[in-house]
């Protein structure tokens, strides 16, 4: 089942409706649910109840694509971008001048929190972000969480995945690189836009694409101005989505309405090609470029890069407060003083080689 968020062309931009999508490719119709129906609760509903609601919606006349504007299927309560494609990690490490996949990557799935308020619709224009000359895209698969999760096994967490969508994780690679040199971020390198869409395909609909190890195996591709520049399959992820939800829930809440992304697939970004070539080829995105992404069984998103509107404040740098040759010794001495103070104030605090017995938390629902 495909569920979309939309508004009529003549609606105010703040209007949000939910509809059932019937058809494939560019030949589809949208059948609205009654006003007040929300997408995430539909994903959380029992299969029988959801199908009953869809059957009722399908009785009404369908809307043509030119009658509606597709919106981001969800405005996420939070977004976590994982890094699950080993080949992409290898290429990006090469770009950073540190060839090879770090051993720590294999130990656990890592993620960054993304900017949920910067999501854009599947056909929206994307303004060129400030401060960059290396605008890039990132082809990813996204999972929408439909119930709250905490400390759940992958087997149990699987039922929390309501459906999937296509994700474009836009990136300003030069800004991102500078931010990560201070072992932090990325922040402004990735907070300006994330495309979600074109709709959500429910998890049960894609069950036939799940392999024997639990991986969702879907063909993925990306093109720029009509020319294919990358392709992969989601089955090349190193962790399943249920494992990602489970890991994110360790000692923490994963809330209903969150979006978890696979991270960029192999060849799903220009930065990988730049790393392999040793120079910027193919060229970075420019105003007027159109990026289209497709994932098997879900659909396609297409965004045009447009000129930025309005002005932005300048970046605020700071002066160096401590001479470079004195900074490290002074910081090291200060850290040593603080460490000694901490041990004196808490003598029972275990040292790094002290093993604590494992405990099991049973946290109340907030």
């Amino acid at each position: 089942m495909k569920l979309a968020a939309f508004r009529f062309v003549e609606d105010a931009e703040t209007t949000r409706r939910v509809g059932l999508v019937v058809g494939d490719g560019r030949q589809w119709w949208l059948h609205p649910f009654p006003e007040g129906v929300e997408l995430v609760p539909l994903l959380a509903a029992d299969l029988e109840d959801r199908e009953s609601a869809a059957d009722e919606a399908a009785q009404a006349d369908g809307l043509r694509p030119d009658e509606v504007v597709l919106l981001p299927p969800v405005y996420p309560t939070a977004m976590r971008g994982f890094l699950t494609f080993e080949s992409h990690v290898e290429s990006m490490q090469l770009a950073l001048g540190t060839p090879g996949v770090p051993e720590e990557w294999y130990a656990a799935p890592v993620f960054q929190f993304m900017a949920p308020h910067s999501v854009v619709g599947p056909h929206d224009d994307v303004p060129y972000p400030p401060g960059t000359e290396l605008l890039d895209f990132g082809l990813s698969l996204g999972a929408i969480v439909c119930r709250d999760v905490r400390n759940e096994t992958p087997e149990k967490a699987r039922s929390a995945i309501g459906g999937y969508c296509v994700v474009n994780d836009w990136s300003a690679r030069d800004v991102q690189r500078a931010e990560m040199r201070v072992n932090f971020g990325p922040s402004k390198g990735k907070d300006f836009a994330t495309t979600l869409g074109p709709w959500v395909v429910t998890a049960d609909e894609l069950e036939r694409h799940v392999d024997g190890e639990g991986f969702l195996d879907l063909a993925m591709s990306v093109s720029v101005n009509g020319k294919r520049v990358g392709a992969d399959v989601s089955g090349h992820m190193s962790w399943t989505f249920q494992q990602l939800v489970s890991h994110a829930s360790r000692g923490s809440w994963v809330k209903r309405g969150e979006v978890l992304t696979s991270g960029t697939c192999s060849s799903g970004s220009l930065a990988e090609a730049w790393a392999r070539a040793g120079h910027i080829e193919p060229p970075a995105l420019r105003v007027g470029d159109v990026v289209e992404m497709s994932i098997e069984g879900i659909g396609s998103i297409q965004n045009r890069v447009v000129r930025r509107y309005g002005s932005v404040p300048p970046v605020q740098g700071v002066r160096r407060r401590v001479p470079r040759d004195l900074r490290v010794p002074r910081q090291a001495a200060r850290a040593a003083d603080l460490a000694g103070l901490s041990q004196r104030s808490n003598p029972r605090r275990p040292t790094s080689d002290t093993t604590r017995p494992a405990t099991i938390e049973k946290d109340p629902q907030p």
Side-chain angles (χ1 to χ4, degrees):
M1 185 182 300
K2 300 184 183 76
L3 302 174
F6 75 99
R7 63 177 174 84
F8 293 112
V9 172
E10 63 273 16
D11 277 343
E13 291 190 0
T14 55
T15 304
R16 186 174 176 84
R17 307 174 189 272
V18 176
L20 171 73
V21 180
V22 177
D24 292 308
R26 302 186 187 281
Q27 299 296 321
W28 53 268
W29 294 264
L30 193 58
H31 298 263
F33 289 97
E35 287 194 23
V37 172
E38 297 182 359
L39 196 146
V40 174
L42 263 181
L43 295 176
D46 291 336
L47 179 59
E48 183 177 343
D49 292 340
R50 186 167 63 242
E51 289 185 340
S52 176
D55 289 341
E56 183 176 345
Q59 300 305 312
D61 291 338
L63 303 169
R64 299 186 309 272
D66 61 358
E67 296 181 277
V68 300
V69 175
L70 292 179
L71 304 175
V74 294
Y75 287 114
T77 53
M79 287 197 299
R80 305 174 197 240
F82 281 83
L83 193 62
T84 68
F85 288 89
E86 185 177 9
S87 180
H88 177 71
V89 177
E90 187 173 32
S91 296
M92 297 309 291
Q93 288 296 117
L94 182 63
L96 293 172
T98 54
V101 180
E103 285 300 317
E104 292 81 359
W105 181 82
Y106 298 95
V110 296
F111 65 87
Q112 64 185 12
F113 280 101
M114 303 165 70
H117 306 301
S118 294
V119 297
V120 298
H123 303 296
D124 290 348
D125 291 338
V126 173
Y128 197 95
T132 182
E133 295 183 357
L134 295 178
L135 179 60
D136 196 2
F137 51 79
L139 170 58
S140 303
L141 175 62
I144 294 84
V145 176
C146 62
R147 65 171 175 81
D148 295 351
V149 182
R150 185 178 175 91
N151 290 331
E152 291 193 4
T153 64
E155 293 75 20
K156 189 175 181 183
R158 183 175 183 177
S159 65
I161 299 173
Y164 299 89
C165 67
V166 186
V167 178
N168 185 351
D169 178 19
W170 300 84
S171 301
R173 296 297 185 186
D174 43 358
V175 177
Q176 175 186 359
R177 186 185 305 119
E179 291 170 337
M180 296 184 72
R181 283 178 181 155
V182 296
N183 296 320
F184 208 62
S187 49
K188 299 306 293 181
K190 278 184 173 286
D191 75 339
F192 54 92
T194 301
T195 305
L196 303 180
W199 36 64
V200 175
V201 178
T202 55
D204 61 284
E205 182 86 3
L206 295 174
E207 191 64 29
R208 66 184 185 277
H209 295 284
V210 177
D211 67 18
E213 296 181 285
F215 288 93
L216 192 57
D217 197 20
L218 306 173
M220 311 169 69
S221 65
V222 55
S223 65
V224 177
N225 300 329
K227 180 181 178 180
R228 178 178 287 196
V229 294
D232 198 1
V233 294
S234 60
H236 289 162
M237 293 170 61
S238 291
W239 289 272
T240 65
F241 271 103
Q242 52 264 35
Q243 289 173 324
L244 301 184
V245 175
S246 173
H247 181 73
S249 79
R250 294 182 73 243
S252 182
W253 283 104
V254 178
K255 303 296 284 185
R256 183 177 75 165
E258 285 199 33
V259 173
L260 276 61
T261 79
S262 64
T264 303
C265 64
S266 178
S267 78
S269 66
L270 296 174
E272 287 191 42
W274 301 340
R276 291 191 296 269
H279 58 276
I280 307 302
E281 183 63 36
L285 297 174
R286 290 290 180 259
V287 171
D289 286 343
V290 176
V291 179
E292 182 171 7
M293 296 179 171
S294 300
I295 296 183
E296 178 186 7
I298 299 178
S300 300
I301 58 177
Q302 185 182 89
N303 302 99
R304 183 184 300 274
V305 180
V306 299
R307 294 188 182 280
R308 183 174 66 250
Y309 50 86
S311 60
V312 295
V315 176
Q316 301 294 315
V318 297
R319 65 179 177 83
R320 190 183 299 278
R321 296 180 179 273
V322 179
R324 185 182 296 274
D325 58 342
L326 295 179
R327 177 170 295 197
V328 172
R330 286 183 58 171
Q331 288 180 340
R334 178 60 175 161
D337 289 344
L338 290 174
L341 177 62
S342 175
Q343 288 294 330
R344 290 193 299 273
S345 64
N346 188 12
R348 294 187 180 183
R349 180 179 180 180
T351 58
S352 59
D353 58 353
T354 300
T355 302
R356 292 183 177 181
T359 59
I360 299 177
E361 295 182 11
K362 292 185 178 181
D363 299 314
Q365 187 85 6

